[in-house]
Amino acid sequence: MNTSVERPTILRSYLGRMRGLGTGHNIFEHWWTERITAAGSAPLSIWFIIQMLRLSDADHKDVVKWAGKPTNTILLLTLVLLTFRHMQLGLEVITSDYARERKRLALNYCIKGGALFLGILSVISILKLFFTASASK
């Protein structure tokens, strides 16, 4: 008497069953976001360096007046947001390469929290400059 149970034939490949599992489930999205933030940060960084060279001899009042212009405020905010997002993504890649699973999760939460905290702090500072310049007009 044969008591073995026949297993159903699985037509999907092992690769097909593994998709969406593990550390590579959103690798393309992560890679693409890194490239977009880098491409956006590059021209804004060049603009920022040029502006800081122009303002090198300026006093505090002139810098606040410069930062109070809406165009400069928007460009500064965009630069800060792109930079901190790019920093977060890059640090997450490092932790995914060198940290073990449990430590990686804790490190990723610390990285996200730190980037969020520093980003919010920077945005508040830029907006404070903007509103200070607007109030002094």
Side-chain angles (χ1 to χ4, degrees):
M1 176 180 214
N2 189 0
T3 60
S4 66
V5 176
E6 241 181 83
R7 296 181 186 196
T9 305
I10 298 173
L11 298 176
R12 289 176 37 188
S13 68
Y14 288 111
L15 178 62
R17 283 185 272 164
M18 293 303 292
R19 284 212 174 122
L21 302 176
T23 58
H25 68 278
N26 63 354
I27 193 91
F28 180 74
E29 178 185 341
H30 195 274
W31 178 86
W32 186 246
T33 307
E34 261 189 315
R35 297 314 176 264
I36 294 296
T37 56
S41 295
L44 287 172
S45 296
I46 293 169
W47 166 81
F48 183 72
I49 291 168
I50 292 170
Q51 294 302 314
M52 290 303 104
L53 290 174
R54 284 184 53 222
L55 292 169
S56 63
D57 294 331
D59 60 353
H60 182 266
K61 186 178 178 182
D62 292 335
V63 174
V64 171
K65 184 179 175 184
W66 173 84
K69 294 179 182 176
T71 305
N72 292 336
T73 301
I74 290 171
L75 291 175
L76 279 172
L77 288 172
T78 306
L79 175 64
V80 163
L81 294 174
L82 286 175
T83 301
F84 281 113
R85 178 68 172 144
H86 187 73
M87 176 194 71
Q88 174 200 346
L89 292 169
L91 289 173
E92 285 177 357
V93 168
I94 292 170
T95 59
S96 71
D97 288 343
Y98 296 108
R100 297 194 188 265
E101 187 63 36
R102 197 170 284 200
K103 287 182 181 179
R104 183 180 336 154
L105 185 62
L107 283 171
N108 281 343
Y109 282 132
C110 289
I111 290 168
K112 285 180 183 179
L116 183 65
F117 175 73
L118 292 174
I120 289 173
L121 195 64
S122 299
V123 167
I124 289 170
S125 299
I126 293 169
L127 290 176
K128 184 177 177 185
L129 283 173
F130 176 72
F131 290 123
T132 301
S134 297
S136 67
K137 286 183 182 180

